[in-house]
Amino acid sequence: MAAAAALGALGALQAGRARLVAACCARLGPGSRRPDSLTGPRVSPATWARGWAPAAGGAAPWRGYSSEVKTEDELRVRYLEEENRGIVVLGINRAYAKNSFSKNLVKMLSKAVDALKSDKKVRTIIVRSEVPGIFCAGADLKERVKMNSSEVGPFVSKIRAVINEIGGTQRLPRTIGMSLAKELIFSARVLDGQEAKAVGLISHVLEQNQEGDAAYRKALDLAREFLPQGPVAMRVAKLAINQGMEVDLVTGLAIEEACYAQTIPTKDRLEGLLAFKEKRSPRYKGE
């Protein structure tokens, strides 16, 4: 059976105003092959310690792939239009290296995210693989082995700067609890999609479609749900959730109150109230 698994708490990755949804797919069942890290049908929580969120994946096989992809084609940025306007898709395309993070790919991701941060028209970012059967293999270990030890730390920090949800030894225990996190990290156990969902690592497990992009379609559906919501409210809500998770409940409630206070003087809040009064859909501008 084929299934698609979307990254835990879809929309967990963020760059400034834009929420990122990671689209990926996993293959379930006894016939599945065991991958190296996150490159195939199963999910290894131990990869959190190597600095990548747990998800295995792939994309629709609608394009030919070559082992000689130009470096400038390793990341493809697409701005969607019409009813999907405001959604941007970052497609990773390093088939020959199983979409692993190289210096070049991290540099391209950093450049793309920095540009999207300042673009107020961008509401949601979907990160997906454009390589069938693969989402991301984590770090490019072939490149890593050639790095001087002094290069490794800054390289990992650069990845963290681009994708602020990585950090397995810290985020995994907060997601599934300390005992289970230790068990999975210490054993380097590999989970399939259903197991990953059961322990709370991912939000959705889907039956694969004929095009092979069921996870991307689910991510796109979620992104469409985000689009009508107020940009200001979404931004402070994410801030309140992220900061609140790191503190006690009383402090978390204070953070929530402070975040709400930021919305009070905004035009969007007044627009929301007016739209409710006039029984129409609000027209938010992020102001």
Side-chain angles (χ1 to χ4, degrees):
M1 179 177 68
L7 185 62
L10 277 166
L13 309 180
Q14 173 157 341
R17 295 181 178 82
R19 291 165 302 286
L20 283 75
V21 180
C24 47
C25 56
R27 182 176 303 279
L28 309 179
S32 300
R33 61 181 176 83
R34 186 183 182 95
D36 303 323
S37 180
L38 301 184
T39 60
R42 294 176 180 266
V43 179
S44 172
T47 56
W48 280 64
R50 293 198 292 272
W52 181 241
W62 47 266
R63 183 183 290 125
Y65 296 91
S66 168
S67 60
E68 310 240 349
V69 174
K70 297 179 180 179
T71 55
E72 60 267 26
D73 292 331
E74 291 183 346
L75 182 70
R76 292 168 173 159
V77 182
R78 286 195 300 132
Y79 289 75
L80 304 190
E81 298 294 338
E82 299 178 352
E83 74 274 13
N84 297 321
R85 187 180 300 275
I87 301 173
V88 177
V89 179
L90 300 182
I92 304 175
N93 182 43
R94 296 191 76 221
Y96 65 97
K98 298 182 179 179
N99 281 354
S100 56
F101 282 125
S102 64
K103 290 180 180 178
N104 179 66
L105 180 58
V106 171
K107 180 180 179 180
M108 293 180 72
L109 279 167
S110 179
K111 183 178 180 180
V113 170
D114 284 344
L116 295 172
K117 281 181 181 179
S118 59
D119 189 341
K120 292 184 178 181
K121 295 181 180 179
V122 176
R123 296 294 309 281
T124 302
I125 301 171
I126 297 176
V127 179
R128 71 170 302 191
S129 167
E130 295 195 352
V131 179
I134 295 171
F135 182 61
C136 177
D140 187 335
L141 299 183
K142 290 183 179 179
E143 183 182 75
R144 178 76 63 86
V145 76
K146 299 176 182 178
M147 287 186 189
N148 186 287
S149 57
S150 62
E151 295 180 85
V152 177
F155 175 70
V156 173
S157 295
K158 186 67 173 179
I159 297 177
R160 290 179 185 273
V162 177
I163 304 174
N164 60 10
E165 297 296 328
I166 65 174
T169 61
Q170 300 305 304
R171 296 191 181 278
L172 190 60
R174 287 170 167 79
T175 302
I176 64 175
M178 182 183 297
S179 295
L180 184 56
K182 285 182 177 179
E183 179 181 328
L184 297 181
I185 291 174
F186 295 166
S187 66
R189 186 180 306 157
V190 175
L191 306 181
D192 64 25
Q194 295 288 1
E195 292 169 329
K197 187 176 188 298
V199 300
L201 287 177
I202 58 177
S203 299
H204 302 277
V205 177
L206 310 168
E207 289 293 333
Q208 188 59 281
N209 58 24
Q210 291 184 346
E211 293 76 19
D213 65 350
Y216 170 67
R217 294 298 168 185
K218 178 63 176 181
L220 193 57
D221 287 344
L222 287 169
R224 290 192 188 108
E225 289 186 51
F226 298 160
L227 286 179
Q229 314 309 321
V232 175
M234 295 293 284
R235 185 164 65 247
V236 297
K238 188 172 193 301
L239 179 65
I241 293 170
N242 286 352
Q243 293 192 355
M245 287 296 293
E246 308 300 324
V247 298
D248 60 86
L249 179 59
V250 173
T251 306
L253 291 171
I255 291 172
E256 179 184 73
E257 184 176 354
C259 286
Y260 175 69
Q262 295 181 40
T263 71
I264 294 176
T266 64
K267 294 179 181 178
D268 275 4
R269 186 183 75 89
L270 298 177
E271 165 61 17
L273 294 173
L274 184 61
F276 177 78
K277 179 181 178 180
E278 297 177 351
K279 298 181 179 180
R280 61 172 173 80
S281 298
R283 295 183 287 270
Y284 296 120
K285 297 181 179 179
E287 302 175 352

